[in-house]
Amino acid sequence: KTCWDMTELVTSCFDDWKTTLWTEIDVESMEVECKKFVKEIRGMDKEMRAWDVYSGLESNVKNMVTSLRAVTELQNPAIRERHWLQLMQTTKVRFIMDDKTTLNDL
């Protein structure tokens, strides 16, 4: 039950973050929250580590940490239009950066 509860908590938190506007993303606080998640996940019963739900949970948190590192780089004021275009070409993801862009859009 603990693993499923944690999965629900993490999923709910990440879903909430995905609706955050680009200009309001607070990477630092999100990273702190992810570190708390990692600590709680690692503190779970070792038998759970063999479970698919545990692996998925751990993977989701690690992927979010990686994404947040990228967001930190992309929030740099030195990023120009050409950089966004290169990113869209490389990732094959199209998006428009404006005041309505959310974390999920990326």
Side-chain angles (χ1 to χ4, degrees):
K1 181 172 167 51
T2 305
C3 195
W4 286 106
D5 290 341
M6 189 65 182
T7 299
E8 180 60 33
L9 176 67
V10 168
T11 301
S12 172
C13 185
F14 288 179
D15 286 347
D16 196 38
W17 290 355
K18 289 176 184 177
T19 63
T20 306
L21 294 175
W22 176 253
T23 55
E24 297 174 6
I25 295 173
D26 182 357
V27 175
E28 245 180 78
S29 68
M30 291 175 172
E31 285 179 332
V32 166
E33 198 65 31
C34 282
K35 286 178 185 176
K36 288 179 190 174
F37 290 150
V38 167
K39 188 174 182 179
E40 286 185 51
I41 292 167
R42 290 204 176 124
M44 290 181 184
D45 192 327
K46 298 206 185 302
E47 290 177 9
M48 293 182 190
R49 294 182 185 190
W51 300 356
D52 288 342
V53 68
Y54 180 93
S55 301
L57 175 61
E58 190 175 46
S59 176
N60 284 342
V61 173
K62 285 180 182 177
N63 288 340
M64 180 58 78
V65 169
T66 301
S67 297
L68 290 174
R69 285 190 198 121
V71 168
T72 299
E73 295 297 320
L74 294 171
Q75 284 183 327
N76 185 326
I79 296 290
R80 302 285 181 236
E81 181 70 21
R82 71 177 189 273
H83 298 120
W84 288 108
L85 293 173
Q86 287 174 340
L87 177 66
M88 286 188 267
Q89 270 185 325
T90 303
T91 61
K92 303 209 184 338
V93 174
R94 306 283 314 151
F95 53 87
I96 298 170
M97 284 304 294
D98 59 21
D99 56 348
K100 295 178 187 162
T101 303
T102 64
L103 183 59
N104 195 51
D105 294 331
L106 305 177

